[in-house]
Amino acid sequence: MPRIVRSAVETPAGDAHATLLALSQARGCPAELPDTDLVAVLLRLARRVLPEGESCDLLILATTKGDLPRYGAALMAGDSASALSGSPADLAAELGRRLEIPAFALSAACASGPAALGEAARRILTGQARRVLVLAGDRLSDFVRDGFAALQALDPDTCRPFDLARAGLILGETAAAMLLSADASPGVWLQGWGAAMDAQHLTGPARDGAGVRAACAAALQRGGDQPP
């Protein structure tokens, strides 16, 4: 299985250590990243996990809407020349050019991150690549906020994961990077992954959990464990 060489994350609380500390102290209320340039944030994270001089075969950008405020503003202004600027495909192309790595975007809504890691592992296991860089990030926008509000999915008070009184979610921004490799040296490994279609409803999963169960079963099988 592919080895996880390095990883990095940026949240409004800071890096991974600061974020885990904030969460453990119940200070993890979501917010927007202080740096509004998504490309700059992702490039910074990329350099943390892939320093100068190290090679990489492929870059996968995991994102839902990319820098939606950027290309949304262009669309509203009727600027057709900049209409795709900041879109997932455009961001992947820009990051690939800056890092000199072939790149593409993978957009699967909330599953974009895990799906990108699974695709990176597939490329490595089939011999199409030996080292794959996965970057992930999204910018918040009124469109996204209004969408979750229309679904009545937002908690009007605070972020309360696993709380019996939880009334929904709170939107925030996070960017992350992970470098996967075929290198067989000791370390942390991606043990298993799975994905499945769940085209039952516009916004909700199948009531019987069939899609989730299929994805979990695939992950367990790849990881060497059989599902019950």
Side-chain angles (χ1 to χ4, degrees):
M1 289 295 181
R3 184 170 69 92
I4 300 173
V5 181
R6 301 182 195 93
S7 63
V9 65
E10 278 194 26
T11 76
D15 60 11
H17 177 76
T19 300
L20 290 173
L21 181 62
L23 291 172
S24 68
Q25 297 176 349
R27 295 187 291 104
C29 188
E32 296 184 16
L33 290 167
D35 191 338
T36 60
D37 187 343
L38 184 58
V39 171
V41 174
L42 293 173
L43 285 173
R44 187 161 58 242
L45 290 171
R47 290 305 182 195
R48 291 179 191 171
V49 301
L50 186 68
E52 292 283 354
E54 290 196 15
S55 63
C56 187
D57 303 311
L58 179 66
L59 186 161
I60 301 177
L61 172 64
T63 186
T64 301
K65 298 295 184 183
D67 194 342
L68 183 55
R70 186 168 137 195
Y71 70 85
L75 287 171
M76 294 299 292
D79 184 359
S80 58
S82 304
L84 294 180
S85 177
S87 68
D90 180 82
L91 285 178
E94 184 174 354
L95 290 165
R97 285 194 300 269
R98 300 280 288 274
L99 295 169
E100 299 182 331
I101 305 171
F104 68 88
L106 191 156
S107 183
C110 299
S112 298
L117 292 177
E119 178 60 17
R122 188 184 71 83
R123 297 292 181 109
I124 291 172
L125 291 175
T126 56
Q128 298 177 64
R130 288 198 57 82
R131 286 161 65 90
V132 179
L133 173 64
V134 177
L135 299 178
D138 271 281
R139 290 292 321 283
L140 279 177
S141 69
D142 290 340
F143 175 83
V144 175
R145 293 187 183 92
D146 291 346
F148 279 99
L151 295 173
Q152 299 182 355
L154 297 178
D155 191 321
D157 184 17
T158 186
C159 183
R160 294 175 288 185
F162 310 112
D163 193 314
L164 288 176
R166 180 176 181 267
L169 57 85
I170 300 290
L171 295 171
E173 291 183 346
T174 296
M178 188 171 287
L179 179 64
L180 282 75
S181 173
D183 183 3
S185 61
V188 179
W189 297 77
L190 182 64
Q191 185 170 353
W193 67 94
M197 296 298 292
D198 199 358
Q200 300 289 322
H201 186 270
L202 183 62
T203 58
R207 294 291 185 179
D208 62 0
V212 175
R213 188 184 190 284
C216 291
L220 289 170
Q221 287 177 336
R222 284 195 176 96
D225 298 318
Q226 293 296 322

